[in-house]
Amino acid sequence: MSNMNQTIIEAFDFRHATKKFNSNKKISEEDFDTILESGRLSPSSLGLEPWRFVVIQNKKLRDKLKPYSWGAQKQLDTASHFVLIFARKNVTAHSNYVQHLIRGIKEYEDSTIPAVEEKFDNFQASFHIADNDRTLYDWASKQTYIALGNMMTSAALLGIDSCPMEGFDLDKVTEILSEEGILDTEHFGISVMVAFGYRAQEPAHGKIRQSKEDVISWIE
C-alpha cells in the first residue's frame, strides 16, 4: 500500500463519532479554515452549491439549542467548533439564486443561458426533483451531505475529531435560529449539525463495519 493510500485509510480508521471533546483544546484557525474550505469546494449536483455553513461559537446560543438537540448534548458543551449546515430551498433554474449563479458567478454567455436552463429543467424533471417544494428541498439537503463527508474526512486527515448529528427537534431549532436572525426560513432549512474538536478519550473499540463482501459488488 502506498503512503497516500495508507494515510487515507488511517484517517478513516481514526475518525469516529466523538460524543465528548476536550473543551480545553481548540482547533487552530488555519486547520478550521481548511475544514470549511473542503466543504465550500465540495461537488454538488449541477454545481449549484445549495448550502450554507454557519459556525456557532456563541455559548449562549449553544446553551439555547441544547434542550432541543438531544444528539448534541455533550458536543454543544465541549466542541471547539460547532457547525450547522443549511440546505437551500426552491433551487430551480429560474430561481433568483440560480440566475445569480449562472450569470454573476459562473458568468455564462447570455446566448448559452436558455440551453443551461433547459438542461437544469430536464434533469430535475427526470429525477422528480422539482415535483414539489419538498422534493426540491430533499435534493438540496442530500447535496449538503457531500460537503459534510468531505469536512469530516479533512478533519480526520488533520488529526481532528468530528461528530455529525441529526438528533434535534427540527421545528424548535428552526424557530430559535429564525428568532435569532440566523436562519432565513424562506430560503433555507437546517440539514444537519456537525461538531469538531479533539476527543476527550479514546473510543472503547476500533472501527466495526460490515465486510467488503457484504457491501461491494463487481459487475464485469
Side-chain angles (χ1 to χ4, degrees):
M1 183 181 292
S2 72
N3 289 339
M4 180 60 73
N5 290 342
Q6 185 173 349
T7 296
I8 292 169
I9 296 303
E10 285 176 353
F12 277 94
D13 278 334
F14 166 83
R15 193 216 64 78
H16 78 289
T18 304
K19 306 304 182 185
K20 184 178 181 181
F21 297 90
N22 181 346
S23 58
N24 295 317
K25 193 172 181 182
K26 302 301 179 185
I27 301 171
S28 72
E29 182 178 348
E30 180 182 14
D31 283 350
F32 197 68
D33 281 348
T34 297
I35 292 169
L36 289 175
E37 277 294 272
S38 70
R40 187 182 71 86
L41 296 173
S42 292
S44 58
S45 190
L46 299 175
L48 294 179
E49 307 169 47
W51 47 53
R52 180 160 291 179
F53 309 99
V54 180
V55 187
I56 306 294
Q57 300 301 83
N58 183 282
K59 186 180 186 305
K60 286 185 179 179
L61 181 54
R62 286 196 190 188
D63 289 343
K64 201 169 185 178
L65 294 173
K66 191 176 174 183
Y68 308 102
S69 306
W70 57 87
Q73 294 295 292
K74 294 179 180 178
Q75 294 93 331
L76 279 165
D77 283 341
T78 62
S80 170
H81 291 71
F82 196 90
V83 182
L84 305 181
I85 305 181
F86 296 169
R88 188 176 284 275
K89 297 179 180 179
N90 300 315
V91 179
T92 66
H94 308 283
S95 65
N96 289 338
Y97 171 70
V98 173
Q99 288 296 313
H100 167 67
L101 269 184
I102 63 179
R103 295 174 186 273
I105 305 299
K106 300 179 184 295
E107 298 183 340
Y108 286 106
E109 294 289 338
D110 286 346
S111 61
T112 68
I113 288 176
V116 171
E117 292 173 341
E118 182 179 10
K119 174 186 174 182
F120 287 6
D121 287 341
N122 290 341
F123 168 75
Q124 290 189 328
S126 68
F127 268 78
H128 298 283
I129 291 165
D131 285 358
N132 53 59
D133 289 349
R134 182 70 207 192
T135 55
L136 272 170
Y137 178 74
D138 286 346
W139 169 73
S141 191
K142 286 197 301 183
Q143 308 307 307
T144 70
Y145 277 66
I146 300 172
L148 171 69
N150 286 341
M151 291 167 73
M152 292 192 298
T153 299
S154 297
L157 287 164
L158 293 168
I160 294 168
D161 291 293
S162 61
C163 186
M165 291 153 288
E166 295 178 322
F168 57 94
D169 184 325
L170 180 60
D171 292 339
K172 192 62 184 178
V173 172
T174 296
E175 179 184 329
I176 291 170
L177 295 175
S178 179
E179 289 174 350
E180 294 285 337
I182 296 167
L183 175 62
D184 171 7
T185 56
E186 181 182 354
H187 297 106
F188 289 97
I190 310 163
S191 180
V192 67
M193 300 174 169
V194 57
F196 296 95
Y198 296 92
R199 64 190 67 179
Q201 60 187 32
E202 292 299 317
H205 51 72
K207 192 77 70 182
I208 300 173
R209 291 291 187 271
Q210 297 181 70
S211 70
K212 293 181 181 178
E213 291 74 21
D214 287 338
V215 297
I216 301 172
S217 298
W218 287 71
I219 311 298
E220 297 184 357

